[in-house]
Amino acid sequence: MATMYHIETIKSKVDQAEIEAFLRETAIPYWRSRGFEVRVYATQHSLGHGPLWLFTGMEAMGDIDGWAEKATGEPEGQRIMAKFMSMIESVQASIVKDIEA
């Protein structure tokens, strides 16, 4: 289990159900197959910056350096990332560390 997380709060420009289905059925399985510890959460009752939260596990700050190549280093990853980026309106990123780890 990761001790740090890169968290992106995402606002979609497509219907929420459409982006959730794409993430669940296409993007998340692909990213996990490439070695990412990734989870996506949806804001409930309009509480939070979301409406979607993409968590990617990290062990150290330097782990983020190879993220783009891992995620888009092959044609399938490039296709998935291009579609994902076309579906989002804005992204706000944060990095958090478990204070008990």
Side-chain angles (χ1 to χ4, degrees):
M1 182 176 227
T3 60
M4 298 177 73
Y5 289 90
H6 179 263
I7 303 168
E8 294 179 338
T9 52
I10 299 163
K11 291 185 180 172
S12 174
K13 61 181 168 184
V14 299
D15 181 70
Q16 177 93 8
E18 181 182 351
I19 195 167
E20 286 181 16
F22 173 74
L23 288 166
R24 186 176 45 255
E25 297 164 11
T26 305
I28 292 171
Y30 177 78
W31 291 332
R32 286 181 180 156
S33 78
R34 300 287 290 160
F36 289 102
E37 178 184 332
V38 63
R39 308 239 355 132
V40 177
Y41 298 91
T43 298
Q44 299 295 293
H45 307 291
S46 300
L47 297 172
H49 296 288
L52 292 173
W53 299 66
L54 174 65
F55 283 64
T56 305
M58 303 168 30
E59 291 304 318
M61 286 296 291
D63 291 352
I64 203 165
D65 294 341
W67 191 91
E69 187 169 324
K70 265 176 67 175
T72 62
E74 57 186 33
E76 179 69 2
Q78 293 168 13
R79 184 189 66 75
I80 288 170
M81 189 59 71
K83 177 161 181 154
F84 179 56
M85 296 306 291
S86 76
M87 300 172 93
I88 63 176
E89 181 178 309
S90 66
V91 175
Q92 182 176 1
S94 300
I95 295 179
V96 297
K97 182 175 181 5
D98 183 346
I99 63 169
E100 295 179 305

